[in-house]
Amino acid sequence: TQYIQQSSGVLAVFACGLGVSHFGPKAIVADLKKGLEGVWVFAEIWLFTFTGCVMSFNALNGPAQSNRGINPGQVQNFLQVLFAGQCGRGAGILFSHAGCYCLLPEHRRSPLYFCSLVLCTWIFQIPKATVQATLGGLPLQYHLISGINGLTIATTIQQFAAFSILIMAPLGVMLTLFVG
């Protein structure tokens, strides 16, 4: 229920934002946009600062325990999981767009337009994935994985989340600048 409560708050803020931007006076919408861009400058710093803090939040996984660094043997596994995840994300985006292909206007039903739509949707989802990856430290922080290997598994999840941010965030920025 905690997840549903957090999600419903995000959806309420999103719906309010869409309502104000669609039905509100243009001058107020422009002022809100400018103000929120200023807030994002500081929110971005907090977001990535807290992401870094999650990497070493207590003595169980601090630098003295040598659990902060990524094991070189795991890098190949991490890259394979990242590749498989991006292929799955691309397949999901392709599948969801295929359902609305027949609803597109006649002049936009060309394969080139459809492929570019799917590709751009995939590219613009990369930053969302990197923000979601900041939650990778939660299994370790809240001791969600029990058992003898629970700490090791949770630490691996945390390291993979940080590694995915290091790979996907610059890739997402480069692709968005190229396409955008």
Side-chain angles (χ1 to χ4, degrees), residues 122-146:
W122 175 77
I123 289 171
F124 298 143
Q125 288 289 319
I126 292 175
K128 178 183 166 203
T130 58
V131 172
Q132 289 171 342
T134 60
L135 301 174
L138 292 181
L140 189 59
Q141 183 177 3
Y142 292 114
H143 307 288
L144 297 177
I145 302 174
S146 60

Side-chain angles (χ1 to χ4, degrees), residues 75 79 82 126 130 161-172 174:
V75 172
L79 289 174
L82 266 177
I126 292 175
T130 58
F163 184 74
S164 68
I165 291 171
L166 291 175
I167 298 296
M168 297 308 290
L171 178 66
M174 289 186 295

